Amino acid sequence: MLTVDFSRFPLAPGDRVLDLGCGAGRHAFECYRRGAQVVALDRNGEEIREVAKWFAAMKEAGEAPAGATATAMEGDALALPFPDDSFDVVIISEVMEHIPDDKGVLAEMVRVLKPGGRIAITVPRYGPEKVCWTLSDAYHEVEGGHIRIYKADELLAKIREAGLRPYGTHHAHALHSPYWWLKCAFGVDNDKALPVRAYHKLLVWDIMKKPLATRVAERALNPVIGKSFVAYATKPHLPRAEADAT
């Protein structure tokens, strides 16, 4: 299940991609399939080991084209172990809402992104996320949990302040919002509640089968209750002051 829309976020074979806070690796795997040179980085060592196993399995199965590479590594988003201007593309999906110093993370991403490079940022959308916080303290008051809810204008302002130029936004995963509302209503750790189990089965069926009816429904509902807000931006070729003057 991808949150980044690669029809709006072009990726060329050979692009050097950083998937920052990669988690289980869903975006890193898609970039690898598209022929990129991928670095998947996360602070969670257990998840990184799993991502590395999947990269190896994909290579063995011939899922990645010739020239594509993939590396999984542990690292700190606030101190990236890469030189300036290292990547053509940076993706950070559902991560910034967890990090107190979100401006520091943005600064590091801008530092390692090449001039002219592209960045995709996804965060929980304000409205659906606010419902979750209202229904359940346990949803967000956990170690490593969500510490803020972004409004779209706030996130875009921070992106611009970091020296990036936003060029597009959209919402995603509308069908997942009701699932999380149910989870929050019945208890975030209560997977046995019948409404939660039933809706989870629906989501799994939708992900596996991709039926036309649910695809159309989600596209129609994304602007209204899409669970994620997605922003795309580029790094100017010129330093910000020179670019503004030009």
Side-chain angles (χ1 to χ4, degrees), residues 66-130:
T69 62
T71 303
M73 61 186 296
E74 290 185 57
D76 182 352
L78 290 166
L80 295 173
F82 311 111
D84 296 356
D85 305 337
S86 296
F87 294 94
D88 302 289
V89 172
V90 176
I91 296 171
I92 183 166
S93 183
E94 312 300 301
V95 173
M96 288 181 57
E97 67 275 10
H98 296 271
I99 301 176
D101 186 8
D102 58 347
K103 290 185 178 181
V105 172
L106 275 166
E108 273 294 87
M109 290 191 291
V110 171
R111 180 183 68 78
V112 301
L113 185 65
K114 295 178 182 178
R118 303 172 303 285
I119 188 166
I121 299 173
T122 91
V123 297
R125 184 184 187 176
Y126 183 85
E129 183 77 348
K130 188 68 173 178

Side-chain angles (χ1 to χ4, degrees), residues 172-176 206 213-223:
H173 309 318
L175 295 182
H176 288 250
D206 176 58
T214 56
R215 296 301 86 217
V216 171
E218 183 155 81
R219 282 197 295 270
L221 290 170
N222 273 337

Side-chain angles (χ1 to χ4, degrees), residues 13-243:
D15 275 352
R16 186 163 167 79
V17 177
L18 172 63
D19 185 2
L20 180 56
C22 64
R26 57 200 172 105
H27 289 104
F29 300 149
E30 180 64 20
C31 294
Y32 190 31
R33 291 188 187 97
R34 290 171 177 261
Q37 298 175 7
V38 184
V39 176
L41 184 144
D42 201 284
R43 65 183 300 179
N44 187 316
E46 184 176 344
E47 287 197 311
I48 282 298
R49 287 187 287 274
E50 283 299 311
V51 170
K53 290 178 183 177
W54 278 105
F55 278 151
M58 290 172 66
K59 181 178 181 179
E60 182 69 20
E63 291 188 33
T69 62
T71 303
M73 61 186 296
E74 290 185 57
D76 182 352
L78 290 166
L80 295 173
F82 311 111
D84 296 356
D85 305 337
S86 296
F87 294 94
D88 302 289
V89 172
V90 176
I91 296 171
I92 183 166
S93 183
E94 312 300 301
V95 173
M96 288 181 57
E97 67 275 10
H98 296 271
I99 301 176
D101 186 8
D102 58 347
K103 290 185 178 181
V105 172
L106 275 166
E108 273 294 87
M109 290 191 291
V110 171
R111 180 183 68 78
V112 301
L113 185 65
K114 295 178 182 178
R118 303 172 303 285
I119 188 166
I121 299 173
T122 91
V123 297
R125 184 184 187 176
Y126 183 85
E129 183 77 348
K130 188 68 173 178
V131 173
C132 290
W133 282 47
T134 301
L135 290 172
S136 172
D137 290 336
Y139 172 79
H140 62 97
E141 290 182 357
V142 295
E143 184 178 355
H146 299 184
I147 63 170
R148 70 173 65 83
I149 309 176
Y150 287 102
K151 292 185 177 179
D153 289 346
E154 175 194 359
L155 180 61
L156 291 171
K158 288 186 176 184
I159 290 171
R160 293 188 181 98
E161 184 182 347
L164 296 167
R165 290 181 173 174
Y167 69 84
T169 65
H170 64 89
H171 300 98
H173 309 318
L175 295 182
H176 288 250
S177 289
Y179 172 71
W180 282 103
W181 296 340
L182 288 169
K183 289 271 288 181
C184 290
F186 286 92
V188 290
D189 296 321
N190 180 13
D191 293 326
K192 296 182 179 180
L194 180 59
V196 174
R197 287 191 290 115
Y199 203 98
H200 184 263
K201 286 183 179 179
L202 170 67
L203 290 180
V204 171
W205 172 75
D206 176 58
I207 291 169
M208 298 300 294
K209 300 297 184 180
K210 296 181 175 64
L212 178 61
T214 56
R215 296 301 86 217
V216 171
E218 183 155 81
R219 282 197 295 270
L221 290 170
N222 273 337
V224 183
I225 60 168
K227 184 74 170 66
S228 294
F229 174 70
V230 188
Y232 305 107
T234 59
K235 179 178 177 178
H237 284 277
L238 295 173
R240 184 174 181 179
E242 293 181 36

